């Protein structure tokens, strides 16, 4: 299971950005089995083929939450083992606390970055499947929002969306403004989401994007949502699941025992990957 | 010459950010010389001390230009060899196209990040000198502006400033607005520098910061400026050098043969490091 | 929780080698609490101290098993979260399938590397405690053997040893030679351990090293051993635990439900870190 | 110019090993030109294609010298800029002071690793040309020896070989044994090259491999050799160049002003890449 770190120049961000990547080209078990056979048959490795697994691989684009970066999933979850078990490539970008939304003034098109550019660039770098059906986007917390928003907005690219404990799917942004956390302050929310009175029903509202996809007969990604039953974000997630289902999107929604933390996400990630068509 | 990559949570940015670091604790020559002596004296390495170089090390904080990130200097210059020759630690952060200026709305305090936090955090991570006289900040292009601005604004932290081909030290921002490059567009410049009519003489104007330092009798960093004679930014740099000198700051200013590129910066970096009190 | 990758020139190996390091200088919770207070008191961050945690830190040197490298623990366990909870620095070197034993012919002194040099170099790079009582060595499988052997051989450096599922602590090497796996073949074992008839009671035998320490009145590291009850290595580990206890070493020995894999090691690592004097 | 670090499980080494890779999929100039056009035509980036460069790329496998590792070329040369100028992929493995020769006892098949496995694995990971004519191997000092030996031994894989200041191409190994340097000691040389009386004319002798290739009518890589005129290895390199030419191999041989160091290799690398059929 190759573990890869990439620094590349992103045209969507106009700067070099860093990715972590998991690519299932190598496998210890394959190599050991080959070695076992060679030894027991008194053969030399010289003529044996190398046990390389070749693509095209199914691919999950996986987005971290607020305060994190591209290294989060490898440090905090067992994504490497999960990906190996399922022969899955995983692409993990950095999100810069920006909720994976475009910021045109500073030419930081974070939405295009994860929804469009990264798909093209990752396919140009690695042997990934070019098929929408084999391409998935997911994330935790801020990254779950990013996966819902960009998975739906760029629905031609993604066959499935994984949302674990999505943040910011609220119906009324004015209700959550607070001085408790920097990302709940009015200046932060306005510079990230724009006019807070017009987020609902905009292209930053996953519920609206789902309705538009169905209305315009664009490809419909399947959606997996999970959240902890002790997470204050649970009601808003449940409401969004119902809303998307109402439009005709296929939504699997699970409330699990737990809160808003890596313990829950480790378990939920396993369930989500089992749910993917792998 | 240890080469180090760090992911740490920055309180100034409220997210995990990545640094490249060079630390002169190890030295191939030292190890070879020890090994030579042991071999020629029939001694075992068992009882020999390890050839580890101990700090506190003098330190250069080194800032990349627009479109780059923390990996630029190691890829594009021979900074590792230069640092080894001078027993110098080098800390290279990522600047996110933000000109190393604070963006309070999104809690991206890039100025505080490189001018204050990074100094404290790097000293808490590595065996660096705590003395202002041993602590330097430098950069190329956007990073040169960042070094001038933050080296002067946080003059209690830095004994010397290196500016190679500084961008954005212009007297009239309105003259440079253009559609040729994203970072010359009005929206970019306004979201980065604020009201463009009030940049001159603000705390984003190195000339003004230099005057304030002298006026308020704060510590005066020495300044090294270099620029290519074919660089369109040369007149503005020359003007700034004169202006800072006029306030009483010690400025070394050199125009070198060349343009705005890594060829010039490789040579200029060598001259700048020779100029440092090492 | 800073995550760090280091390439440095090792005099013990006469080449550049790579480490992963975890250093508890930063903390998201500290930063959020400070930000909360500032916001609720209408204060600026400008004058607030940065929430940097300063050493000297207690330190665990952590050794991977056969087929792995320095990246194993971060990918396969939640060591980063465990270290953060306990304010512990963790140093993870690469072991090159060599069982952390010296190979003088090729100047690969893997034993000295992890037992002596790395302790000195890591303390020269990072703010680690210089005290034996605060310095620990541990590992899984091949790395557990490396921790036992080098923790005992360099007992002046380590206050505690963690052995999870130690390999190669057998009493008779001739019984394990096989063509099933490359590291059980006679050539591999001989080039790694030397004459197989003389490993027992040599300085590659943890039981003998334990006896020598007590006999020579050298410092006695405390030992934590864990192994799966379905692991074929369990009897040999149990026997070694008894043997070391018999010499007067303080040994905690646990058989846990499970086999020879990361599931068990994740749980055992948590127990081991709880057992450390942190 | 994407810069990539890979940890993958090598079946030839039976352990995880680390590579640095340069991949020309991205290009700042392309992105700037696209952005310029969009701005001047009042178009949105929304519908523009991303400026991604697609393979299959010509590829250089590049081997470091003694005491180094996979990070050497990026730190010490401007390989990233050179590769960008020529649209060339570069794969840089670690060589572990082993002269890129097989060590069967410990299952460290370093020769197969760089000569065969890495070619297959790199092609399975990245969009590289599958053609021999587009695949090159080169190196400096120990790595130059590794490139000559393995480029010739696996001549079906490589169309060209670059040797900069090759070490260990001597005709009589007994003449170089010395206590001055660890890698000139008899134990090191014997454990690396085997019986020193039988290296000449063995499959570890590039001159002999060249003769065999021609005799057996296998594909003939073209060879570029450069060396400093102050390098004590110059006569042996000149002799080898003549010997290979005598067999019918196409050899370009240059003596440059300089010694055995990165200054010469930086310049020689540029000449070598200009010489490649790019």
């Amino acid at each position: 299971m190759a573990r890869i770190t990439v620094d590349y120049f992103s045209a969507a961000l106009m700067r070099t950005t860093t990715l972590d990547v998991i690519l299932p080209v190598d496998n210890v078990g394959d190599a050991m089995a080959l070695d076992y056979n060679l030894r027991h048959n008194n053969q030399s490795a010289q003529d044996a083929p190398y046990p390389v697994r070749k693509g095209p691989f199914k691919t999950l684009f996986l987005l971290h939450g607020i305060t994190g970066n591209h290294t989060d999933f490898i440090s905090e979850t067992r994504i490497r083992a999960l990906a190996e078990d399922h022969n899955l490539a995983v692409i993990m970008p950095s999100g810069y606390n920006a909720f994976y939304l475009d910021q045109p003034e500073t030419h930081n098109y974070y939405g295009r970055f994860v929804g469009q550019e990264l798909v093209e660039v990752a396919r140009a770098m690695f042997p990934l499947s070019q098929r929408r059906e084999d391409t998935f986007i997911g994330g935790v917390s801020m990254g779950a929002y990013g996966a819902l928003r960009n998975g739906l907005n760029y629905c031609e690219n993604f066959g499935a969306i994984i949302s674990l404990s999505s943040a910011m799917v609220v119906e009324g942004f004015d209700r959550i403004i607070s001085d408790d956390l920097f990302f709940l302050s009015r200046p932060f929310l306005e510079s990230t989401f724009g006019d807070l009175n017009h987020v609902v029903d905009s292209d930053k509202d996953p519920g609206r994007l789902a309705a538009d996809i169905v209305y315009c007969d664009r490809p419909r990604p399947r959606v997996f949502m999970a959240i902890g039953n002790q997470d204050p974000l649970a009601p808003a997630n449940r409401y969004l699941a119902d809303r998307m289902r109402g439009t005709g999107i296929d939504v699997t929604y699970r409330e699990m025992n737990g809160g808003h933390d890596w313990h829950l996400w480790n378990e939920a990630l396993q369930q989500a990957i089992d749910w993917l068509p792998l």
Side-chain angles (χ1 to χ4, degrees), chain A residues 37-49:
Chain A
N37 283 328
L38 293 172
R39 288 176 184 281
H40 281 264
N41 294 301
N42 275 316
Q43 272 185 284
S44 153
Q46 202 63 31
D47 309 308

Side-chain angles (χ1 to χ4, degrees), chain A residues 1-2 4 6 8 19-25 53-62 83 86-93 114 116-137 157-158 278:
Chain A
M1 207 63 189
I4 298 170
V6 179
Y8 87 98
L19 314 171
D20 271 5
V21 173
I22 295 169
L23 205 63
V25 288
R53 295 191 177 186
K54 290 182 179 163
F57 298 109
K58 298 187 180 189
T59 309
L60 172 61
F61 293 83
L62 196 51
H86 293 84
N87 226 34
L88 179 69
V90 185
I91 313 282
M92 293 159 283
V114 297
Q116 182 72 17
E117 180 190 90
L118 198 53
V119 176
E120 292 183 30
V121 170
R123 287 176 180 170
M125 282 193 202
F126 305 112
L128 308 182
S129 170
Q130 308 279 330
R131 300 174 65 236
R132 177 185 169 274
E133 291 76 9
D134 298 339
T135 307
F136 320 116
I137 188 168
N157 288 340
F158 302 103
L278 298 174

Side-chain angles (χ1 to χ4, degrees), chain A residues 141-164:
Chain A
S141 195
M142 175 183 87
Y145 172 82
L148 285 167
R149 192 273 175 180
N150 295 302
L152 293 168
N153 200 45
Y154 298 93
C155 61
E156 279 80 9
N157 288 340
F158 302 103
I161 298 171
I162 294 168
S163 160
L164 308 183

